[in-house]
Amino acid sequence: MTTRRTLLKLSVATMAAGLVAAHVWADATKPVIALLPGVVDPFYFTMHRGAEKAAKEEGVELLFQVPKSWNTTEQVPILKAFIAKKPDVLLVSPVDKQQLIQPLKEAADAGIKVITVDTYIGDGKYQTGKGDADFPLSYIASDNTEGGRIAARALAKAIGDKGEVYCEDNKPGISSTDARVDGFLEEMKKHPNIKVLDTQYNEDDANKAAAHIAAILARNPNLAGVFGANTFSGKGAAEGVKKAGKSGKIKVVVFDAVPGIDQDIKSGLVDIAIAQKPAEMGYYGVKYGADAARGKKIPAQKGTGFVVLDKSNIDGDGKQYIYSN
Ligand code: T6T
């Protein structure tokens, strides 16, 4: 005969089970995903819109906070604040391949699923069981090395395959821009009549990039071309070429498609822009995050491709790929 005590125990157990189920159910039904980009720029605001679109489709609560500048000292405090909020998933663009490994490991150790978008930690190869930086579940980004090769081929063609060129870059240690410059230098080796000068670093400051053009022109008056490896680098290099009165003479190839790039291409200041698909990075980041929060397996890598913008498509199909704030 079931005693009152057993009945009581049973009902407590059932209630407890109900509660746990309710909690897990709440996470799986409305996963919380925190999106932590690298810096304030139109690339990441476009990414955020793609993330919001997927969040609506998936019933995800999306947290979003942007570091003021591209720096571990700006990104890590926000990361720690997000960890304290215990989201189900962290969607992050690590600002340094090495320095963000430990802070992200703390997130993973706190039970937060980590997905990197645009940039990666370690060597970007995840879920391999090797190394101390393979714990993220997925890496979603452009093939930046190939992007750098495309930039080199385009610049070589624009300058008639001879003359002096150089790369204008943010800072070393960033997986995306490092790969672009590597791809550019690797491809330029196939162009013996082109001399590649030392890469210049502008710390994501377009004014510094513009000043580099003036300084290099003083030493190398025959400068024929420049590759800007990201938004600030490209914008600054183009500004520097314009200030030097060399628009159209010094060929400019840039990575990214910031607002106004259409004017720069039509005026001939910029020859080509390699537009990434940040909205897709945000969209698939949230889709994969929601799946992972619901216990589904997700691919360890996803390439989002890019589109080469130039005079032939900037007012046509290409326009849709220009980022916006
Ligand atoms: O080029 C993008 C991004 O891909 C890169 O990782 C960092 O710079 C940008 O955000 C542009 O500023």
Side-chain angles (χ1 to χ4, degrees), residues 39-202:
V39 69
V40 174
D41 85 17
F43 172 87
Y44 290 114
F45 290 125
T46 306
M47 180 189 284
H48 183 225
R49 275 190 291 284
E52 284 179 319
K53 181 167 179 283
K56 275 204 193 70
E57 292 171 5
E58 294 290 332
V60 158
E61 181 188 342
L62 185 65
L63 310 179
F64 181 60
Q65 193 175 341
V66 190
K68 285 199 293 301
S69 66
W70 189 281
N71 211 310
T72 52
T73 56
E74 291 287 339
Q75 190 177 51
V76 172
I78 302 174
L79 171 58
K80 291 195 181 300
F82 272 150
I83 292 173
K85 289 205 178 98
K86 283 204 165 315
D88 297 283
V89 177
L90 179 68
L91 214 42
V92 56
S93 303
V95 294
D96 186 276
K97 287 181 275 192
Q98 295 309 318
Q99 295 175 49
L100 263 292
I101 294 176
Q102 193 39 45
L104 288 177
K105 190 74 176 67
E106 284 162 31
D109 293 346
I112 299 167
K113 295 173 176 40
V114 177
I115 294 174
T116 68
V117 280
D118 175 42
T119 54
Y120 60 67
I121 51 171
D123 64 2
K125 296 191 178 46
Y126 300 153
Q127 301 299 307
T128 62
K130 294 197 213 82
D132 61 357
D134 83 318
F135 58 85
L137 298 183
S138 191
Y139 163 52
I140 304 169
S142 311
D143 177 346
N144 290 293
T145 310
E146 180 53 21
R149 296 189 195 103
I150 289 174
R153 288 194 283 270
L155 192 57
K157 187 159 165 265
I159 66 173
D161 214 22
K162 62 182 185 337
E164 295 172 339
V165 302
Y166 86 99
C167 293
E168 185 61 46
D169 190 9
N170 177 349
K171 63 174 96 173
I174 306 167
S175 66
S176 54
T177 43
D178 282 357
R180 291 166 201 167
V181 171
D182 292 350
F184 180 90
L185 297 177
E186 174 207 306
E187 178 65 26
M188 273 302 176
K189 289 202 181 88
K190 300 176 189 157
H191 303 264
N193 301 325
I194 297 179
K195 182 172 180 218
V196 182
L197 307 172
D198 292 346
T199 297
Q200 303 295 313
Y201 296 101
N202 56 60

Side-chain angles (χ1 to χ4, degrees), residues 307-324:
V307 178
V308 174
L309 304 179
D310 60 20
K311 280 199 173 111
S312 70
N313 64 3
I314 194 63
D315 273 340
D317 290 353
K319 213 175 186 65
Q320 62 186 297
Y321 296 103
I322 298 176
Y323 314 159
S324 52

